[in-house]
Amino acid sequence: AAAVAAQRRHASSTPPLGFIGLGKIGSGMVINLIKGGESLIVFDPSSAAAKAVEGEAAKAVASIAEVAHDARVVFSALPDDNVLQAVSSELLPKLAARGDRPIHVSCSTVSPSISRALSEAHAEKEVGFVSAPVFARPDGMRRGEATFPVSGPDWAKETVVPLLKKTALGVHDFGEDAGAANVVKLGGNFLIAAAIQSMAEASALAESYDVDREKFISLMSSTIFDCLIYKGYGHRVAARDHHPYPDAHFALDLGSKDVSLVHSAAAQARCPMPVASLLRDRFVASQNSGRGKLDWSAVALKASEEAGSKQVAEAITRLENGRSS
Amino acid sequence: AAAVAAQRRHASSTPPLGFIGLGKIGSGMVINLIKGGESLIVFDPSSAAAKAVEGEAAKAVASIAEVAHDARVVFSALPDDNVLQAVSSELLPKLAARGDRPIHVSCSTVSPSISRALSEAHAEKEVGFVSAPVFARPDGMRRGEATFPVSGPDWAKETVVPLLKKTALGVHDFGEDAGAANVVKLGGNFLIAAAIQSMAEASALAESYDVDREKFISLMSSTIFDCLIYKGYGHRVAARDHHPYPDAHFALDLGSKDVSLVHSAAAQARCPMPVASLLRDRFVASQNSGRGKLDWSAVALKASEEAGSKQVAEAITRLENGRSS
């Protein structure tokens, strides 16, 4: 009770934070920031999303302008480069008008090039732009298990990092170039997608020799690959369980967007990434097979299909019918 | 002292085991079996290798025939399919002549097809053939951290599994098909090689955006990829440290052999593995670049070279000169 009272005092004595974009990740961050004693001004084009987090410490407003009016530090968690560009066009002039060195914290998975461009545009108007894309699924975010790479001007990070720590297991500083944190995030998502594809191929090989694919993956993910990604996605791949469980999935459509971002960021830097090229094609092909709404681990189904697996057709029918067993 | 005495009694009261092939993995297994109270008859074409393990509990002999004469259960740890075939041609008739249901335990990384063929040939002569390829580097083997997938006839595994447990962290039964354990081993080595290549590409992307590659990989391998393979090979890839450290490396020449085994096992089962195909070509190209004696993580250098890294040329010169810093 004393701690809660202290939080209330803190919340009432410090200026509110702004938050734009209340999807699964954004709303999870808002809830964690409130738990951390912050109060917020929130906005989402969907009033249902805004209402879901509204409460004593989170005031929903009807426009980006109102967020910028009330908050000096504004977070955004948005689906892609285009939406971030559109939101920034509206947000930046309003923040600049405050004249108190405001800060925009971008938590979206976007290209390093848009972060670099926005960083310059913000700096010209004496607004800080901090890039802080997040590694977390909605359920992990709620448990405070998120990891944030962060980059941007040091003066702005001084304010932002302690706030991010209220909604993360770890915050990792990658310097002043705002694009750096995005490169880290894209590199990480690429590693996850590559692990999914590798496990898909290895499981298909096992199955083609009548070796139990679940037993094989479970041995790997409990010994030399004993980590979150191989355990979680390993189970999904081996069992062909690609259902979009609420709060514990990442849609293949979004995964495809991320892998395409990796591919174009690599092309822009003239960095050949043969596995990334292969992944991009497989994600697009999986979307064309109507799997965009499944968990992104469903990219693994192609390996089974190509191997002529007798079991995969049944699994696909089950997934299409939305049954989980 | 009491435990040692008990081991001695056990060793003197049970028949000796045979061991053929005293390379780094074989000699490590022999030492662990001795620690586990076993006595052994050992053979290696190199008398230096045999002398290195010879002692009170390990008697070195001059031929495979002598091993088969003295031991009912004979382990082999050999470099490839051809050597295993040659050793088996000599060993099998001698074992068969014993008439006491002897057992050959094959710990080599070989194709599932040779294990299946040898399994049949052994069964015809009432000799058990157990496949038990091992996941371990020499240093891990010595620390008892090896993992064995095992497959073959149940009656033979009943004898073999308790022996393997004396030199392993875990022994995992994959059924009666002798080829199954080899598929598991090849699938696992493929996953390692794919992880190395993925980290190579992701690090090259980071570097091309001036993001510290070691810091990037270290973040990944301490969070969502917090496991042996990403930690160990992640450091090597990010730091371009591909020196063949004694007992803590796996030569690229051998890695290339394993990846080719994966590729041909997949082809034989008509199982397309696009990442495995890509890996095979990169390993062969790395051998052609004279990197066969480096650690197999040196396959990662190609990604840096292709990205036009300014640092990679210096790293390669350092590696060619055998300097570690």
Side-chain angles (χ1 to χ4, degrees), chain A residues 10-88:
Chain A
H10 176 74
S12 61
S13 65
T14 56
L17 305 171
F19 212 108
I20 298 169
L22 302 166
K24 283 179 177 175
I25 291 294
S27 60
M29 286 181 69
V30 165
I31 288 164
N32 289 341
L33 287 167
I34 292 172
K35 278 188 198 154
E38 302 297 330
S39 64
L40 292 102
I41 310 294
V42 303
F43 170 76
D44 192 280
S46 145
S47 58
K51 275 202 179 107
V53 300
E54 206 174 13
E56 202 184 333
K59 181 185 163 197
V61 293
S63 70
I64 290 172
E66 287 170 78
V67 175
H69 183 269
D70 287 350
R72 189 189 143 236
V73 179
V74 178
F75 293 79
S76 65
L78 305 165
D80 59 31
D81 281 34
N82 292 336
V83 181
L84 174 59
Q85 183 65 64
V87 165
S88 292

Side-chain angles (χ1 to χ4, degrees), chain B residues 80-161:
Chain B
D80 59 31
D81 281 34
N82 292 336
V83 180
L84 174 59
Q85 183 65 64
V87 164
S88 292
S89 308
E90 213 177 322
L91 178 64
L92 177 54
K94 304 291 179 192
L95 283 177
R98 294 178 56 100
D100 59 353
R101 297 187 99 199
I103 301 168
H104 177 186
V105 189
S106 164
C107 300
S108 317
T109 298
V110 292
S111 66
S113 53
I114 194 178
S115 284
R116 285 177 173 179
L118 287 175
S119 177
E120 267 188 48
H122 282 60
E124 271 169 27
K125 304 202 165 176
E126 293 188 0
V127 178
F129 182 85
V130 173
S131 195
V134 53
F135 286 103
R137 287 190 321 196
D139 54 342
M141 172 57 82
R142 273 209 307 274
R143 289 193 300 266
E145 292 168 3
T147 295
F148 286 90
V150 61
S151 62
D154 287 337
W155 69 264
K157 281 184 298 191
E158 256 176 57
T159 300
V160 170
V161 169

